[in-house]
Amino acid sequence: MLSDREVTSTLNMLRNEHLDVRTITLGISLFDCASHDLDLFIGNIRAKLAKYASRLVSVCDEVGSRYGIPIVNKRISVSPIAVVGAPFGSGGMVEICRALDAAAEEAGVDFLGGFSALVDKGFAKGDANLVEALPEALASTKRVCSSINVASSRTGINMDAVALMGRQILAVAEATRESGGIGCAKLVVFANIPQDVPFMAGAYLGVGEPDVVINVGVSGPGVVRKAIDRALQSGLDSTGRPLTLLDMAEVIKTTAYKVTRVGQMIGTQVANELGLPFGVADLSLAPTPAVGDSVGEIFQSLGLSSIGAPGSTAVLAMLNDAVKKGGAFASSSVGGLSGAFIPVSEDSSIEEAARKGFLSMEKLEAMTSVCSVGLDMIAVPGDTPAETISAIIADEMAIGVINHKTTAVRLIPVPGKGVGEEVSFGGLLGKAAIMSVPKGTASGFITLGGRIPAPISSLKN
């Protein structure tokens, strides 16, 4: 229960600090749509999405207006298409992707996630066909997002999948050359992907999820920064002693608690209006390119000259932990990723640090060992070898597998551009200076293929 003071503080977040619900994501299972007939399968999908998603945007707008809390994005996630569309070849997968895109447009949602495959231990027929279809599928659609899970702490790292994804990422970039390789912004490679992520591009509806469910993603990096700045203005705690990092962690935790309560309230109201179950609240500090909505600015408030400066990994570890603690106390239904994202192009402060050379690929990789997700929305030269991309993916997957956490890679090789040049994707995807990749080659390592075994910690039964 919020106290009067906490209610006042939360209202101030809404009025002055641009608190919003970043996304309401409607999860829809497609398993009951399965058919060996492609036209029938697509018809079943379109009918089910129309049945449940037709009111999503209007209900979100009405609830947001009622409470004065904007719901910025309305999205859909579906069952992994590699599973439900297993009978169909790569051409059929492209047609399915286009049908999903059309259904998303009809529903008025921003993105639809679930053009996905789970291949951490190997490829089934549907998985192989979906991955083969990625370049054409993502180039011929606007709203569909794809996630490929290539590793888990239980099974290890499927290096054959890692090698293939390096090649396919380049192929997707080339297929969307005219728009700066934007197709790669809708494609993410995961280790330990959760089944209930509401944030794109990783959202899909796992096989253990309800038939239809509402998940909410609450962000608020600007709110967290303002709370830190307010606390630091006096410089003293309630007893008159100088503030320390312990006090700052408490401020972050308390703010995350309030934001999560708001998000769960809004998500529950939307679910009730639609007559659907509420799933999880994902409190991930997911920034946007807008000034004042930056995770990177939190680092500056805590005393660093810029994200990427010495101390950045320690600050991110504290931030990620405090966000999780506050969210877990606020709700028994916290899920998804719930932590802090560091997407380069989507955060104005992080993008500036990368452009000025304060933030390198190596430092970003180190920071991903303590935060949610991983190497996210990073533009790299278009002539980066596929083996180098695969090796970067393998490094990030290893961090996730060994540490039993979710990690991911969303690299964007920009065709025709090199280090220091800039690419703009527009909207929430932002813009980015193209970063250099680590020197050296890994072709022999990637060519070996096979599977890196799971760590001994996987044997917990």
Side-chain angles (χ1 to χ4, degrees):
M1 193 70 159
L2 292 176
S3 66
D4 290 345
R5 183 176 179 181
E6 288 172 326
V7 169
T8 302
S9 173
T10 303
L11 289 173
N12 187 57
M13 291 179 189
L14 297 173
R15 292 169 181 161
N16 303 318
E17 297 168 13
H18 309 295
L19 175 64
D20 57 48
V21 172
R22 186 56 48 84
T23 180
I24 293 286
T25 300
L26 171 64
I28 302 176
S29 172
L30 300 183
F31 284 101
D32 58 344
C33 299
S35 172
H36 285 274
D37 183 289
L38 180 60
D39 291 335
L40 180 58
F41 178 56
I42 288 175
N44 290 343
I45 290 175
R46 296 288 296 269
K48 188 163 187 181
L49 292 183
K51 176 180 178 181
Y52 289 105
S54 60
R55 296 178 55 234
L56 176 64
V57 172
S58 61
V59 168
C60 286
D61 289 343
E62 192 277 325
V63 171
S65 177
R66 185 192 312 164
Y67 289 95
I69 303 173
I71 300 173
V72 179
N73 300 294
K74 298 87 174 175
R75 297 165 173 172
I76 297 171
S77 64
V78 299
S79 308
I81 294 300
V83 178
V84 295
F88 309 112
S90 60
M93 290 292 182
V94 172
E95 291 304 312
I96 294 167
C97 190
R98 289 171 177 163
L100 291 171
D101 194 56
E105 182 178 11
E106 288 172 7
V109 299
D110 306 281
F111 288 109
L112 182 150
F115 196 70
S116 306
L118 311 175
V119 297
D120 41 286
K121 203 171 182 180
F123 284 88
K125 180 180 177 182
D127 302 321
N129 291 334
L130 183 139
V131 172
E132 182 183 348
L134 284 172
E136 185 177 356
L138 296 181
S140 60
T141 58
K142 293 182 178 180
R143 293 171 175 80
V144 175
C145 294
S146 177
S147 54
I148 311 296
N149 193 76
V150 301
S152 76
S153 297
R154 279 291 199 183
T155 61
I157 306 172
N158 182 349
M159 290 301 295
D160 292 326
V162 168
L164 177 57
M165 288 311 301
R167 299 191 295 272
Q168 289 300 84
I169 286 170
L170 283 179
V172 171
E174 185 60 34
T176 54
R177 166 184 282 268
E178 298 305 315
S179 50
I182 195 171
C184 295
K186 301 184 292 176
L187 171 61
V188 58
V189 183
F190 270 96
N192 294 320
I193 187 172
Q195 298 190 71
D196 54 5
V197 183
F199 285 104
M200 300 295 170
Y204 83 104
L205 190 71
V207 297
E209 295 293 303
D211 187 56
V212 188
V213 65
I214 289 289
N215 293 321
V216 59
V218 188
S219 185
V223 174
V224 171
R225 187 202 178 187
K226 290 285 182 63
I228 292 170
D229 289 344
R230 278 197 306 273
L232 289 173
Q233 279 179 355
S234 68
L236 303 173
D237 66 13
S238 58
T239 66
R241 296 175 181 172
L243 292 172
T244 69
L245 288 171
L246 185 63
D247 298 304
M248 294 299 97
E250 191 67 23
V251 168
I252 297 167
K253 184 178 70 174
T254 302
T255 305
Y257 165 81
K258 296 175 186 175
V259 171
T260 304
R261 295 294 288 176
V262 169
Q264 177 158 316
M265 176 188 73
I266 295 298
T268 301
Q269 286 297 316
V270 170
N272 289 341
E273 293 282 342
L274 291 171
L276 301 174
F278 175 76
V280 301
D282 181 332
L283 177 65
S284 291
L285 294 184
T288 71
V291 175
D293 198 26
S294 164
V295 170
E297 290 175 356
I298 296 173
F299 289 70
Q300 295 168 318
S301 291
L302 289 170
L304 299 185
S305 60
S306 167
I307 184 172
S312 294
T313 305
V315 167
L316 186 57
M318 181 183 77
L319 177 63
N320 204 58
D321 179 66
V323 164
K324 289 177 183 290
K325 286 175 178 174
F329 186 65
S331 170
S332 58
S333 299
V334 171
L337 296 163
S338 293
F341 290 177
I342 47 174
V344 176
S345 77
E346 295 178 357
D347 185 303
S348 58
S349 179
I350 298 177
E351 189 277 328
E352 182 181 12
R355 181 164 39 84
K356 291 182 176 179
F358 298 134
L359 194 58
S360 66
M361 184 83 75
E362 291 85 350
K363 183 60 176 177
L364 281 166
E365 183 181 300
M367 293 170 69
T368 64
S369 65
V370 298
C371 79
S372 294
V373 196
L375 299 172
D376 197 16
M377 289 300 291
I378 300 173
V380 298
D383 61 358
T384 303
E387 293 84 0
T388 298
I389 294 174
S390 294
I392 292 171
I393 293 172
D395 285 342
E396 193 61 34
M397 299 301 99
I399 290 173
V401 166
I402 296 299
N403 292 293
H404 291 264
K405 67 185 293 293
T406 300
T407 52
V409 173
R410 191 161 42 150
L411 294 183
I412 307 170
V414 183
K417 292 193 175 184
V419 175
E421 295 184 80
E422 190 174 275
V423 61
S424 179
F425 302 115
L428 287 175
L429 300 178
K431 63 182 177 66
I434 295 170
M435 299 179 66
S436 62
V437 298
K439 292 180 172 60
T441 62
S443 57
F445 168 63
I446 297 301
T447 301
L448 285 171
R451 185 161 53 91
I452 294 179
I456 189 65
S457 57
S458 67
L459 300 178
K460 290 186 175 182
N461 287 341

